[in-house]
Amino acid sequence: MKAIGSTTFGGPDVLRELELPTPEAGPGEVRIRVHAAAVNPTDALFRAGAYAARTTDVPPPYLPGMDAAGVIDQLGPGADGRLSVGQRVVALVMPTRPQGGAYAEQIVVPAESVVPAPAGTDHAEASTLLMNAATARLALDTLALPRGATVAVTGAAGAVGGYAIELAKADGLTVVADAAPHDRDLVRGFGADHVVDRGKDVATRVRELVPDGVARLVEGSDQREEAVRALAAGGTLVALRGWQGPAEGGVTVAPVFVAGVRGDTALLDALRLQAEQGVLSLRVAKVLPASDAAEAHRLLAAGGLRGRLVLDFS
């Protein structure tokens, strides 16, 4: 089968087409014929070696990719009775495992990490759901806010930020979000109640709306200390990129890692249902052939995307 990966870590050009043996589903696993794999920032970090410490016992090649959409073509013994051969599905995939990530024509994953694809979506759209939406869900669950409370979201025009706003509104929360001038309508479209200019001094602009600072914040822009300044004393910041502080003013920094919910089938399926209902917006920036994975990573690094790049393995 064809896969996209590398034998070493480095820049986008380390990615190349590989011919690998077709994997077989083991107990509790399913094999998916992948049609689409979303390209996420975490894929670029993995390719560059940011997670190399987690792959010391994993021989190359290294296959990136955490989001796959396709069709089940094999069920392993004891696989979940929810799933069937020929079913369209999406999967949350861990690239640091020996089998690698989602950038392959066929992948084997635990059945618990697989749910039906949202009805009414194509493979490319479906592939953009799980990793980012699960991260946003985990962030909001960590904050555990009651209905009517206020949450701030930075990096609001991004994939996680957009999902965080939509999920927060579905939870009955008031949302303060940041956006560049050209993204204001987009972020308002997600449901943000208040939109402030993104970038340097975003905390000052949040405090113009909430003078004492917000109690809870989802930090999707990697501004760290600047975002902390938007928080009230004793507030909580959820960090999406592993930052653990320290933070001043009694602020708690709570890093979240989507790997922690990779086997939470109920959570993943709830996100699938919300996508079907239109609560979550599936955004595709561009679809490229899988063989153009290096170019996709270069486009990702260039920034400015609104929606996800998707690799076509059809």
Side-chain angles (χ1 to χ4, degrees), residues 109-312:
V109 291
E112 63 188 8
S113 300
V114 180
V115 295
T121 64
D122 60 29
H123 290 300
E125 292 167 336
S127 75
T128 67
L129 174 64
L130 286 186
M131 198 278 283
N132 291 292
T135 300
R137 182 71 267 165
L138 181 57
L140 292 170
D141 289 349
T142 299
L143 295 175
L145 287 163
R147 294 185 70 86
T150 297
V151 63
V153 178
T154 61
V160 176
Y163 284 145
I165 294 170
E166 292 178 325
L167 290 171
K169 295 308 298 178
D171 290 349
L173 304 179
T174 296
V175 178
V176 178
D178 69 347
H182 57 275
D183 284 326
R184 280 180 166 266
D185 288 345
L186 174 68
V187 171
R188 287 194 185 99
F190 295 145
D193 299 279
H194 308 282
V195 181
V196 302
D197 288 341
R198 64 169 293 178
K200 190 171 183 278
D201 298 325
V202 66
T204 299
R205 291 185 282 275
V206 170
R207 283 180 173 270
E208 289 172 355
L209 290 170
V210 187
D212 292 332
V214 292
R216 302 289 185 268
L217 186 146
V218 177
E219 217 289 88
S221 60
D222 206 28
Q223 292 188 86
R224 303 186 178 189
E225 290 85 355
E226 172 62 26
V228 166
R229 295 199 303 110
L231 282 157
T236 301
L237 178 149
V238 169
L240 305 182
R241 302 189 185 185
W243 185 56
Q244 300 183 42
E248 299 178 353
V251 168
T252 298
V253 177
V256 297
F257 301 97
V258 74
V261 295
R262 65 185 182 278
D264 190 337
T265 309
L267 182 151
L268 301 179
D269 202 46
L271 296 171
R272 182 269 308 172
L273 181 60
Q274 287 181 301
E276 288 184 355
Q277 295 169 338
V279 173
L280 295 174
S281 305
L282 306 182
R283 296 183 289 152
V284 177
K286 186 176 183 180
V287 179
L288 296 91
S291 57
D292 287 347
E295 176 62 12
H297 279 229
R298 284 189 286 269
L299 291 171
L300 184 67
L305 296 168
R306 293 298 173 255
R308 280 287 170 247
L309 297 166
V310 176
L311 299 178
D312 181 3

Side-chain angles (χ1 to χ4, degrees), residues 49-73:
Y51 308 130
R54 304 182 202 174
T55 59
T56 53
D57 296 327
V58 177
Y62 307 111
L63 309 186
M66 296 187 69
D67 272 319
V71 177
I72 293 176
D73 68 1

